Amino acid sequence: MKADLPKLRSAASVQFSRFSANRMAMISVWLLALTVALCFLGPYAFPFTAEDADFDNISAGVDLFSIHPFGTDDYGRDLLIRVLEGGQVSLMIGFLGALVAGVIGVLYGAVAGFAGGRTDNIMMRFVEVLYGFPYVILVILLSLLLGGGTLALFTALVFTLWLTPAVIVRAQAQSLSRREFIEAARAGGMTSWQIVTQHIVPNTISLVIVYGSLLVPEVILSESFLSFLGIGIKEPQASWGNLIQIGTSQMATDLRLLLLPGTLLALVLFCLNFIADGLRDAFDPNEH
Amino acid sequence: MDCETPLTQMNTNLLSLHDLSVHFAHGGGQTTVVDRVSLTLGAGEVLGIVGESGSGKSQLLFALMGLLASNGNATGHALFDGQDLLSLPTKALDRVRGASLSMIFQDPMTALNPYKRIGDQLAEGLIHHQGLPRAAALAEASRMLDRVRIPDAPRAARRYPHEFSGGMRQRVMIAMALLVKPKLLLADEPTTALDVTIQAQVLDLMLEIAHETGTAIILVTHDLGVVARICDRVAVLYGGRIMEEGPAETMLSDPRHPYARGLLATTPRLEAAITPRLPTIPGAPRSGGAMLPSCPFAPRCSDKMPACDHMPPLRDIGPERRLACHLEPAP
Amino acid sequence: MIPFVAKRLWNGFLTLAALATLTFFVMRLAPGGPFSRNRKISPEVQANIEAAFHLDEPVYQQFARYIWGILRGDLGPSTRFRDYSVNDLIAAGLPTSLTIGFWAILVAALVGIALGLAGALRRNGWTDYAAGAVGVIGIAIPIFIIGPLMQAYFSVYLGWLPVGGWNDGWRSLILPVLVLALPNIAYISRLTRSSTIEVLRENHVRTARAKGIGPARVLLGHAMTGALLPVIAYLGPASAALITGSILIETVFALPGIGRFFVDAALNRDYPLVMGITLVYGGFLIIFNIMTDLVRGWLDPRIRHEG
């Protein structure tokens, strides 16, 4: 296994340099990092939180040099802080959700692909049936079942999104399990679980990174979509989805309530998509 | 000038190449894969072009067919039937290719359209070029499939490529290329992808039908055994240049160029299809824009001499034989 | 061809059965019944209502009743709109949803394929860049942002089109269809572009060019099938995306379709309506996937023969 290390490293560095040569992807990384920093650190720069109502400044307009640079909503809550804190929720659900769904999918797929035979058949039939479900409907049903709220939404999203990584990893695991080094590991007395976690999973990493990076925008989009419909994250907890919903309802009088969270959400989705594209080109140049 | 034959004289030939070069542009640079090739071919003649992979032999054929990749570019002249193939606009070229000029490709597994019945794929050319009604063209196609010994041809015509083996598919390709009775058939390693046991059958079939229709053939191959069996004349290509050219019989028994000799020496039995074991030299095909003046084979040549820094032109060295090497003094 | 279809029908049936079962139990297990919000009802009234909706029966009996109902095509009464059955509500909302979905997928397919082809055939030309821009916008800006923005511009500011509703004939259709089609245009054009570029490099297309049949025939007769197969394969999942989209579109544009009914029913725990619409969506998804598979099988003999 030692002998493989330098080769692995050089492959990784090739991929890294290929990724960093992709201008759009690199710009996206920096923009995304900036947005994340803004969402998580920005609120500390202000003496109030998103829930604090400023009764002297209700529905204040945009005034970049005032204490409320983007104004307040009709409860007197600072709009910028609300959007930034909403961003915390959306980003956290997005990254955590993709991570958890990715881990579940990878393990499920690796086990199915490695086990093969009937186990594989049953496991994949289950995935196939779930795949046939209308995805949003399933999320909505599950989040209802779990009683609504942030955690329910998170669980529902994870439950519906682990399918794609599972299918992809399973195919990879299937071809890996026929390779010599797996035979060798088995002959060397490793247990099946050790083989799955130490050999199969590490060898699917690049695939997982590529598809995992596509999961992040998907989770963020689904979260904001459900919150927009009133099924996901609910007031007074802010998220980009429910802020956009409020923005829509007041669009006729005040477009900024829609534009501020909307722009940030679009920016993040935009960056994530370009990063995912860049990763795919870096890891899998044949695809293009 | 490599070619001493004046242009006017060439017109009696079916095909005459004059200083044909193929370049590929990439990333600001340019690679030359075929370098000033001049050749002639008479009606019904079978010419073998021999060389290792990377010698530019396939690109030479693609250039004639107007099938170079979009970053490829061919210069020089290729007079075929009175027209210069290299300067014809696509519309005019489309009246030639598939009609009087056909091609068989290297990989039969991917060369046929997987979504169309093979009968339709065969008939297409007849319908387009000869204006045959569909039914007549299909009947013709099925007759041709029978001719290339595909069992149960009328039913086979209604099948799709994936239902045939590689050897059968290449027979289909041969049928497709010769169905239009072309004057010239370009065959790009037509049997390389096939099982050794059926290579000979397929080649013989191709030759047989070509003789019936009076079709000339340019056969690109790296297999000297094949050349010895079916070619009238041979040209040896290295690094995009012709090294030696002449009648198959005399050239194979008495090669003059060190590379040609090497090729022959590494083919132990002419009847067996064995790839020459000469390693490809690093750095060839040459790149970097300018064509180097030196002989491309010099780095690997055991008879290298100082004069090899300048590539000699092809010179006549005997009846119908030409050679580009300093070893042989001019007669 | 027959085993090919049969296999897909059987899979579709399994999925639908699983969906029906899952929906039923999720709805039964979900906290808060449909009437728990009305605190004021007396226990007797509550008991009466529960009896009317068979909520007093043991779960297995309710399940049997529900499955029997589905088999007879009767989805039961709605608990929110007391005077209507679920069948009535679906019958009322489905035409709206189908009309929008149909036009959206048509527009998305035609525009997406055209943009993708134009991009592939004239790479780095202006159509290619335009398609790329549409692609980025369509993928990065969600429906529920672009929808309201278009409303704000075309309806409120310019006053050209109705803000929402279903009462202005074709003018009511334009914005919803456009907004719903946009992300699909983005995806389809990207897919068409890359698959066309790939197919044009394939050996069999080179063979076709060698036949001298002209660029148009090479493209339409030989390259098109291979280029469109991935696009057609995407149309199956796209119909699922369309369901998601139609839920949003109907909410944003206040359209009386089943998507809006669904959200409403979910928020108000109208179990029978949620289950009914879920089944309708599931059924459409399955039918669409089967149709997609059939078209792919029809175009590609290898898929057809594989079964």
Side-chain angles (χ1 to χ4, degrees), chain C residues 143-196:
Chain C
I143 284 180
F144 52 89
I145 296 177
I146 213 146
L149 285 179
M150 284 185 133
Q151 273 178 328
Y153 187 71
F154 289 105
S155 308
V156 180
Y157 180 69
L158 291 176
W160 288 356
L161 295 163
V163 179
W166 197 234
N167 305 317
D168 292 270
W170 59 272
R171 295 178 63 233
S172 296
L173 266 174
I174 293 181
L175 280 184
V177 165
L178 224 62
V179 173
L180 186 52
L182 191 64
N184 287 295
I185 291 176
Y187 204 87
I188 290 174
S189 69
R190 270 167 67 139
L191 203 59
T192 309
R193 181 181 186 273
S194 67
S195 71
T196 306

Short mmCIF file of all heavy atoms in Angstrom, two decimals, chain C residues 143-196:
data_model
loop_
_atom_site.label_atom_id
_atom_site.label_comp_id
_atom_site.label_asym_id
_atom_site.label_seq_id
_atom_site.Cartn_x
_atom_site.Cartn_y
_atom_site.Cartn_z
N ILE C 143 -36.48 29.05 -9.79
CA ILE C 143 -37.80 29.47 -10.27
C ILE C 143 -38.45 30.50 -9.36
O ILE C 143 -39.04 31.47 -9.81
CB ILE C 143 -38.71 28.22 -10.37
CG1 ILE C 143 -38.35 27.40 -11.59
CG2 ILE C 143 -40.17 28.62 -10.43
CD1 ILE C 143 -39.19 26.16 -11.74
N PHE C 144 -38.30 30.28 -8.02
CA PHE C 144 -39.03 31.17 -7.12
C PHE C 144 -38.35 32.52 -6.95
O PHE C 144 -38.85 33.37 -6.22
CB PHE C 144 -39.28 30.50 -5.76
CG PHE C 144 -38.05 29.94 -5.10
CD1 PHE C 144 -37.29 30.73 -4.27
CD2 PHE C 144 -37.69 28.61 -5.32
CE1 PHE C 144 -36.16 30.20 -3.67
CE2 PHE C 144 -36.57 28.09 -4.72
CZ PHE C 144 -35.81 28.88 -3.89
N ILE C 145 -37.23 32.71 -7.62
CA ILE C 145 -36.68 34.08 -7.67
C ILE C 145 -37.00 34.69 -9.03
O ILE C 145 -37.45 35.83 -9.12
CB ILE C 145 -35.15 34.07 -7.46
CG1 ILE C 145 -34.84 33.56 -6.05
CG2 ILE C 145 -34.57 35.46 -7.65
CD1 ILE C 145 -33.36 33.45 -5.76
N ILE C 146 -36.75 33.92 -10.07
CA ILE C 146 -36.94 34.48 -11.42
C ILE C 146 -38.42 34.71 -11.70
O ILE C 146 -38.79 35.67 -12.37
CB ILE C 146 -36.27 33.57 -12.47
CG1 ILE C 146 -35.75 34.43 -13.61
CG2 ILE C 146 -37.19 32.52 -13.01
CD1 ILE C 146 -34.50 33.91 -14.21
N GLY C 147 -39.28 33.85 -11.14
CA GLY C 147 -40.72 34.02 -11.32
C GLY C 147 -41.20 35.37 -10.81
O GLY C 147 -41.75 36.18 -11.58
N PRO C 148 -40.99 35.65 -9.52
CA PRO C 148 -41.41 36.95 -9.00
C PRO C 148 -40.77 38.12 -9.72
O PRO C 148 -41.43 39.14 -9.96
CB PRO C 148 -40.93 36.90 -7.54
CG PRO C 148 -40.93 35.46 -7.20
CD PRO C 148 -40.55 34.74 -8.46
N LEU C 149 -39.50 37.98 -10.11
CA LEU C 149 -38.85 39.09 -10.82
C LEU C 149 -39.53 39.35 -12.15
O LEU C 149 -39.74 40.50 -12.54
CB LEU C 149 -37.36 38.78 -11.05
CG LEU C 149 -36.47 38.89 -9.82
CD1 LEU C 149 -35.03 38.54 -10.16
CD2 LEU C 149 -36.56 40.30 -9.23
N MET C 150 -39.90 38.29 -12.86
CA MET C 150 -40.58 38.48 -14.14
C MET C 150 -41.95 39.08 -13.93
O MET C 150 -42.40 39.92 -14.70
CB MET C 150 -40.67 37.15 -14.88
CG MET C 150 -39.36 36.76 -15.51
SD MET C 150 -39.59 35.28 -16.48
CE MET C 150 -38.80 35.66 -17.97
N GLN C 151 -42.61 38.62 -12.87
CA GLN C 151 -43.90 39.23 -12.52
C GLN C 151 -43.71 40.72 -12.29
O GLN C 151 -44.47 41.55 -12.81
CB GLN C 151 -44.44 38.63 -11.22
CG GLN C 151 -45.24 37.39 -11.39
CD GLN C 151 -45.69 36.86 -10.04
OE1 GLN C 151 -44.98 37.03 -9.03
NE2 GLN C 151 -46.84 36.24 -10.01
N ALA C 152 -42.68 41.07 -11.51
CA ALA C 152 -42.47 42.46 -11.17
C ALA C 152 -42.23 43.28 -12.43
O ALA C 152 -42.75 44.39 -12.58
CB ALA C 152 -41.27 42.59 -10.23
N TYR C 153 -41.47 42.71 -13.38
CA TYR C 153 -41.13 43.49 -14.56
C TYR C 153 -42.26 43.49 -15.60
O TYR C 153 -42.77 44.53 -15.98
CB TYR C 153 -39.83 42.95 -15.17
CG TYR C 153 -39.32 43.81 -16.30
CD1 TYR C 153 -38.79 45.06 -16.03
CD2 TYR C 153 -39.40 43.38 -17.61
CE1 TYR C 153 -38.33 45.88 -17.05
CE2 TYR C 153 -38.94 44.19 -18.64
CZ TYR C 153 -38.40 45.44 -18.36
OH TYR C 153 -37.95 46.24 -19.38
N PHE C 154 -42.67 42.30 -16.04
CA PHE C 154 -43.61 42.23 -17.15
C PHE C 154 -45.05 42.57 -16.74
O PHE C 154 -45.82 43.08 -17.52
CB PHE C 154 -43.59 40.85 -17.80
CG PHE C 154 -42.33 40.59 -18.56
CD1 PHE C 154 -41.35 39.77 -18.05
CD2 PHE C 154 -42.12 41.21 -19.79
CE1 PHE C 154 -40.18 39.54 -18.75
CE2 PHE C 154 -40.95 40.99 -20.49
CZ PHE C 154 -39.97 40.15 -19.97
N SER C 155 -45.39 42.23 -15.48
CA SER C 155 -46.78 42.42 -15.08
C SER C 155 -46.97 43.73 -14.33
O SER C 155 -47.82 44.54 -14.68
CB SER C 155 -47.25 41.27 -14.22
OG SER C 155 -46.96 40.05 -14.85
N VAL C 156 -46.13 43.96 -13.30
CA VAL C 156 -46.35 45.16 -12.48
C VAL C 156 -45.80 46.39 -13.18
O VAL C 156 -46.49 47.39 -13.35
CB VAL C 156 -45.69 44.99 -11.09
CG1 VAL C 156 -45.90 46.22 -10.25
CG2 VAL C 156 -46.25 43.75 -10.39
N TYR C 157 -44.56 46.31 -13.67
CA TYR C 157 -43.92 47.49 -14.23
C TYR C 157 -44.42 47.78 -15.65
O TYR C 157 -44.90 48.86 -15.95
CB TYR C 157 -42.40 47.29 -14.22
CG TYR C 157 -41.62 48.45 -14.78
CD1 TYR C 157 -41.57 49.66 -14.09
CD2 TYR C 157 -40.94 48.35 -15.99
CE1 TYR C 157 -40.86 50.73 -14.60
CE2 TYR C 157 -40.24 49.41 -16.50
CZ TYR C 157 -40.19 50.61 -15.80
OH TYR C 157 -39.49 51.66 -16.32
N LEU C 158 -44.35 46.80 -16.53
CA LEU C 158 -44.78 47.02 -17.91
C LEU C 158 -46.28 46.82 -18.09
O LEU C 158 -46.87 47.38 -19.00
CB LEU C 158 -44.03 46.06 -18.85
CG LEU C 158 -42.54 46.32 -19.04
CD1 LEU C 158 -41.94 45.24 -19.92
CD2 LEU C 158 -42.30 47.70 -19.66
N GLY C 159 -46.87 46.02 -17.25
CA GLY C 159 -48.31 45.76 -17.34
C GLY C 159 -48.72 44.98 -18.57
O GLY C 159 -49.86 45.07 -19.02
N TRP C 160 -47.81 44.22 -19.16
CA TRP C 160 -48.14 43.48 -20.38
C TRP C 160 -48.95 42.23 -20.10
O TRP C 160 -49.80 41.84 -20.88
CB TRP C 160 -46.85 43.07 -21.09
CG TRP C 160 -46.13 44.19 -21.74
CD1 TRP C 160 -46.55 45.49 -21.83
CD2 TRP C 160 -44.88 44.13 -22.41
NE1 TRP C 160 -45.64 46.25 -22.49
CE2 TRP C 160 -44.60 45.44 -22.87
CE3 TRP C 160 -43.97 43.11 -22.67
CZ2 TRP C 160 -43.43 45.74 -23.57
CZ3 TRP C 160 -42.82 43.41 -23.36
CH2 TRP C 160 -42.55 44.72 -23.82
N LEU C 161 -48.62 41.57 -19.01
CA LEU C 161 -49.22 40.26 -18.77
C LEU C 161 -49.84 40.24 -17.38
O LEU C 161 -49.43 40.99 -16.50
CB LEU C 161 -48.13 39.18 -18.87
CG LEU C 161 -47.50 39.02 -20.25
CD1 LEU C 161 -46.20 38.25 -20.16
CD2 LEU C 161 -48.47 38.33 -21.19
N PRO C 162 -50.79 39.36 -17.17
CA PRO C 162 -51.39 39.27 -15.84
C PRO C 162 -50.36 38.79 -14.81
O PRO C 162 -49.47 38.02 -15.13
CB PRO C 162 -52.50 38.23 -16.02
CG PRO C 162 -52.14 37.47 -17.24
CD PRO C 162 -51.41 38.44 -18.12
N VAL C 163 -50.50 39.29 -13.58
CA VAL C 163 -49.57 38.92 -12.52
C VAL C 163 -49.71 37.44 -12.20
O VAL C 163 -48.75 36.75 -11.90
CB VAL C 163 -49.84 39.76 -11.25
CG1 VAL C 163 -48.89 39.35 -10.13
CG2 VAL C 163 -49.70 41.22 -11.56
N GLY C 164 -50.95 36.98 -12.23
CA GLY C 164 -51.17 35.57 -11.93
C GLY C 164 -52.59 35.21 -12.28
O GLY C 164 -53.28 35.96 -12.99
N GLY C 165 -53.04 34.07 -11.78
CA GLY C 165 -54.40 33.64 -12.06
C GLY C 165 -54.52 32.95 -13.40
O GLY C 165 -53.53 32.78 -14.10
N TRP C 166 -55.73 32.57 -13.72
CA TRP C 166 -55.97 31.65 -14.81
C TRP C 166 -57.07 32.17 -15.71
O TRP C 166 -57.69 31.45 -16.45
CB TRP C 166 -56.34 30.30 -14.21
CG TRP C 166 -56.24 29.12 -15.13
CD1 TRP C 166 -57.24 28.22 -15.38
CD2 TRP C 166 -55.12 28.68 -15.88
NE1 TRP C 166 -56.79 27.27 -16.24
CE2 TRP C 166 -55.49 27.53 -16.57
CE3 TRP C 166 -53.82 29.18 -16.04
CZ2 TRP C 166 -54.61 26.85 -17.41
CZ3 TRP C 166 -52.96 28.50 -16.87
CH2 TRP C 166 -53.35 27.36 -17.54
N ASN C 167 -57.33 33.52 -15.63
CA ASN C 167 -58.53 34.01 -16.28
C ASN C 167 -58.26 34.80 -17.55
O ASN C 167 -59.15 35.40 -18.12
CB ASN C 167 -59.32 34.90 -15.31
CG ASN C 167 -59.62 34.14 -14.03
OD1 ASN C 167 -59.99 32.98 -14.08
ND2 ASN C 167 -59.41 34.79 -12.90
N ASP C 168 -57.00 34.83 -18.01
CA ASP C 168 -56.71 35.64 -19.18
C ASP C 168 -56.32 34.80 -20.38
O ASP C 168 -55.56 35.25 -21.23
CB ASP C 168 -55.60 36.64 -18.86
CG ASP C 168 -56.06 37.67 -17.86
OD1 ASP C 168 -56.58 38.71 -18.28
OD2 ASP C 168 -55.92 37.40 -16.65
N GLY C 169 -56.82 33.58 -20.44
CA GLY C 169 -56.53 32.73 -21.59
C GLY C 169 -55.04 32.51 -21.76
O GLY C 169 -54.33 32.30 -20.78
N TRP C 170 -54.57 32.62 -23.02
CA TRP C 170 -53.16 32.30 -23.29
C TRP C 170 -52.21 33.27 -22.61
O TRP C 170 -51.07 32.95 -22.35
CB TRP C 170 -52.91 32.26 -24.80
CG TRP C 170 -53.22 33.56 -25.49
CD1 TRP C 170 -54.41 33.95 -26.00
CD2 TRP C 170 -52.31 34.63 -25.73
NE1 TRP C 170 -54.31 35.21 -26.53
CE2 TRP C 170 -53.02 35.65 -26.38
CE3 TRP C 170 -50.95 34.84 -25.44
CZ2 TRP C 170 -52.46 36.86 -26.76
CZ3 TRP C 170 -50.38 36.05 -25.83
CH2 TRP C 170 -51.12 37.04 -26.47
N ARG C 171 -52.71 34.48 -22.30
CA ARG C 171 -51.81 35.44 -21.67
C ARG C 171 -51.47 35.01 -20.25
O ARG C 171 -50.41 35.37 -19.73
CB ARG C 171 -52.43 36.84 -21.71
CG ARG C 171 -52.59 37.34 -23.15
CD ARG C 171 -53.23 38.69 -23.25
NE ARG C 171 -52.44 39.73 -22.61
CZ ARG C 171 -52.91 40.56 -21.70
NH1 ARG C 171 -54.17 40.45 -21.32
NH2 ARG C 171 -52.15 41.49 -21.18
N SER C 172 -52.37 34.23 -19.63
CA SER C 172 -52.07 33.70 -18.30
C SER C 172 -50.97 32.64 -18.37
O SER C 172 -50.32 32.35 -17.39
CB SER C 172 -53.31 33.04 -17.69
OG SER C 172 -54.30 33.98 -17.49
N LEU C 173 -50.82 32.06 -19.55
CA LEU C 173 -49.90 30.94 -19.69
C LEU C 173 -48.44 31.37 -19.86
O LEU C 173 -47.53 30.67 -19.44
CB LEU C 173 -50.29 30.12 -20.92
CG LEU C 173 -51.21 28.93 -20.73
CD1 LEU C 173 -51.60 28.35 -22.08
CD2 LEU C 173 -50.50 27.86 -19.92
N ILE C 174 -48.26 32.53 -20.50
CA ILE C 174 -46.92 32.88 -20.98
C ILE C 174 -45.86 32.85 -19.87
O ILE C 174 -44.87 32.12 -19.96
CB ILE C 174 -46.93 34.25 -21.67
CG1 ILE C 174 -47.76 34.12 -22.95
CG2 ILE C 174 -45.51 34.70 -22.01
CD1 ILE C 174 -47.85 35.38 -23.74
N LEU C 175 -46.06 33.66 -18.83
CA LEU C 175 -45.03 33.72 -17.80
C LEU C 175 -44.82 32.38 -17.10
O LEU C 175 -43.67 31.95 -16.96
CB LEU C 175 -45.35 34.82 -16.78
CG LEU C 175 -44.98 36.25 -17.22
CD1 LEU C 175 -45.26 37.24 -16.11
CD2 LEU C 175 -43.53 36.34 -17.66
N PRO C 176 -45.87 31.73 -16.63
CA PRO C 176 -45.63 30.44 -15.96
C PRO C 176 -44.87 29.44 -16.84
O PRO C 176 -43.93 28.80 -16.38
CB PRO C 176 -47.04 29.92 -15.66
CG PRO C 176 -47.90 31.12 -15.64
CD PRO C 176 -47.29 32.10 -16.59
N VAL C 177 -45.27 29.34 -18.10
CA VAL C 177 -44.63 28.37 -18.99
C VAL C 177 -43.16 28.74 -19.18
O VAL C 177 -42.26 27.89 -19.10
CB VAL C 177 -45.36 28.29 -20.34
CG1 VAL C 177 -44.51 27.58 -21.38
CG2 VAL C 177 -46.69 27.59 -20.18
N LEU C 178 -42.91 30.02 -19.40
CA LEU C 178 -41.55 30.48 -19.63
C LEU C 178 -40.66 30.19 -18.42
O LEU C 178 -39.55 29.66 -18.55
CB LEU C 178 -41.57 31.98 -19.90
CG LEU C 178 -40.69 32.45 -21.05
CD1 LEU C 178 -41.15 31.83 -22.34
CD2 LEU C 178 -40.71 33.97 -21.12
N VAL C 179 -41.17 30.57 -17.26
CA VAL C 179 -40.37 30.41 -16.03
C VAL C 179 -40.13 28.92 -15.74
O VAL C 179 -39.04 28.52 -15.34
CB VAL C 179 -41.06 31.10 -14.85
CG1 VAL C 179 -40.33 30.80 -13.55
CG2 VAL C 179 -41.12 32.59 -15.08
N LEU C 180 -41.16 28.13 -15.98
CA LEU C 180 -41.02 26.69 -15.72
C LEU C 180 -40.08 26.04 -16.73
O LEU C 180 -39.35 25.11 -16.42
CB LEU C 180 -42.40 26.03 -15.77
CG LEU C 180 -42.50 24.55 -15.39
CD1 LEU C 180 -41.86 24.29 -14.04
CD2 LEU C 180 -43.97 24.13 -15.35
N ALA C 181 -40.10 26.55 -17.96
CA ALA C 181 -39.25 25.95 -19.00
C ALA C 181 -37.79 26.32 -18.82
O ALA C 181 -36.91 25.53 -19.17
CB ALA C 181 -39.73 26.38 -20.39
N LEU C 182 -37.53 27.47 -18.24
CA LEU C 182 -36.16 28.01 -18.22
C LEU C 182 -35.09 27.05 -17.67
O LEU C 182 -34.09 26.79 -18.34
CB LEU C 182 -36.13 29.34 -17.47
CG LEU C 182 -34.81 30.10 -17.63
CD1 LEU C 182 -34.58 30.50 -19.07
CD2 LEU C 182 -34.78 31.31 -16.73
N PRO C 183 -35.28 26.50 -16.46
CA PRO C 183 -34.22 25.60 -15.97
C PRO C 183 -34.06 24.37 -16.86
O PRO C 183 -32.95 23.85 -17.03
CB PRO C 183 -34.68 25.19 -14.57
CG PRO C 183 -36.01 25.78 -14.36
CD PRO C 183 -36.33 26.71 -15.47
N ASN C 184 -35.15 23.93 -17.46
CA ASN C 184 -35.06 22.77 -18.35
C ASN C 184 -34.40 23.13 -19.68
O ASN C 184 -33.68 22.32 -20.24
CB ASN C 184 -36.45 22.17 -18.59
CG ASN C 184 -36.95 21.44 -17.37
OD1 ASN C 184 -36.38 20.43 -16.98
ND2 ASN C 184 -37.97 21.97 -16.73
N ILE C 185 -34.65 24.35 -20.16
CA ILE C 185 -33.94 24.81 -21.36
C ILE C 185 -32.46 24.77 -21.07
O ILE C 185 -31.66 24.28 -21.87
CB ILE C 185 -34.36 26.25 -21.74
CG1 ILE C 185 -35.80 26.28 -22.24
CG2 ILE C 185 -33.42 26.82 -22.80
CD1 ILE C 185 -36.31 27.67 -22.54
N ALA C 186 -32.10 25.28 -19.89
CA ALA C 186 -30.69 25.33 -19.51
C ALA C 186 -30.09 23.94 -19.55
O ALA C 186 -29.05 23.71 -20.18
CB ALA C 186 -30.56 25.93 -18.12
N TYR C 187 -30.77 23.01 -18.92
CA TYR C 187 -30.21 21.68 -18.82
C TYR C 187 -30.18 20.99 -20.18
O TYR C 187 -29.18 20.39 -20.56
CB TYR C 187 -30.99 20.84 -17.81
CG TYR C 187 -30.13 19.73 -17.27
CD1 TYR C 187 -29.30 19.94 -16.18
CD2 TYR C 187 -30.10 18.50 -17.91
CE1 TYR C 187 -28.47 18.94 -15.73
CE2 TYR C 187 -29.28 17.50 -17.46
CZ TYR C 187 -28.47 17.71 -16.37
OH TYR C 187 -27.64 16.73 -15.93
N ILE C 188 -31.29 21.08 -20.91
CA ILE C 188 -31.38 20.38 -22.19
C ILE C 188 -30.37 20.94 -23.19
O ILE C 188 -29.74 20.18 -23.93
CB ILE C 188 -32.82 20.44 -22.75
CG1 ILE C 188 -33.73 19.58 -21.89
CG2 ILE C 188 -32.88 19.99 -24.20
CD1 ILE C 188 -35.19 19.66 -22.24
N SER C 189 -30.17 22.25 -23.19
CA SER C 189 -29.23 22.80 -24.16
C SER C 189 -27.80 22.37 -23.82
O SER C 189 -27.01 22.07 -24.71
CB SER C 189 -29.33 24.33 -24.24
OG SER C 189 -28.87 24.93 -23.07
N ARG C 190 -27.45 22.33 -22.54
CA ARG C 190 -26.12 21.86 -22.17
C ARG C 190 -25.92 20.41 -22.59
O ARG C 190 -24.89 20.03 -23.13
CB ARG C 190 -25.92 21.98 -20.65
CG ARG C 190 -25.36 23.31 -20.24
CD ARG C 190 -25.46 23.53 -18.77
NE ARG C 190 -24.62 22.64 -17.98
CZ ARG C 190 -23.94 23.05 -16.91
NH1 ARG C 190 -23.96 24.29 -16.53
NH2 ARG C 190 -23.22 22.21 -16.21
N LEU C 191 -26.94 19.61 -22.31
CA LEU C 191 -26.87 18.19 -22.63
C LEU C 191 -26.76 17.98 -24.14
O LEU C 191 -25.93 17.20 -24.62
CB LEU C 191 -28.13 17.52 -22.09
CG LEU C 191 -28.09 16.04 -21.81
CD1 LEU C 191 -27.01 15.75 -20.79
CD2 LEU C 191 -29.44 15.58 -21.28
N THR C 192 -27.61 18.69 -24.91
CA THR C 192 -27.60 18.54 -26.35
C THR C 192 -26.26 18.96 -26.92
O THR C 192 -25.68 18.28 -27.77
CB THR C 192 -28.70 19.40 -27.00
OG1 THR C 192 -29.93 19.13 -26.35
CG2 THR C 192 -28.83 19.10 -28.47
N ARG C 193 -25.74 20.07 -26.43
CA ARG C 193 -24.46 20.57 -26.93
C ARG C 193 -23.36 19.53 -26.72
O ARG C 193 -22.67 19.15 -27.66
CB ARG C 193 -24.09 21.87 -26.21
CG ARG C 193 -22.79 22.46 -26.69
CD ARG C 193 -22.47 23.74 -25.93
NE ARG C 193 -21.30 24.39 -26.48
CZ ARG C 193 -20.05 24.11 -26.10
NH1 ARG C 193 -19.85 23.19 -25.19
NH2 ARG C 193 -19.03 24.74 -26.64
N SER C 194 -23.24 19.03 -25.48
CA SER C 194 -22.12 18.13 -25.24
C SER C 194 -22.31 16.80 -25.96
O SER C 194 -21.36 16.23 -26.49
CB SER C 194 -21.90 17.93 -23.74
OG SER C 194 -22.98 17.25 -23.18
N SER C 195 -23.55 16.30 -26.02
CA SER C 195 -23.72 15.01 -26.68
C SER C 195 -23.55 15.14 -28.19
O SER C 195 -23.05 14.24 -28.84
CB SER C 195 -25.06 14.37 -26.32
OG SER C 195 -26.12 15.05 -26.94
N THR C 196 -23.94 16.29 -28.76
CA THR C 196 -23.76 16.47 -30.20
C THR C 196 -22.28 16.55 -30.54
O THR C 196 -21.81 15.92 -31.50
CB THR C 196 -24.47 17.75 -30.68
OG1 THR C 196 -25.82 17.70 -30.28
CG2 THR C 196 -24.40 17.87 -32.19
#
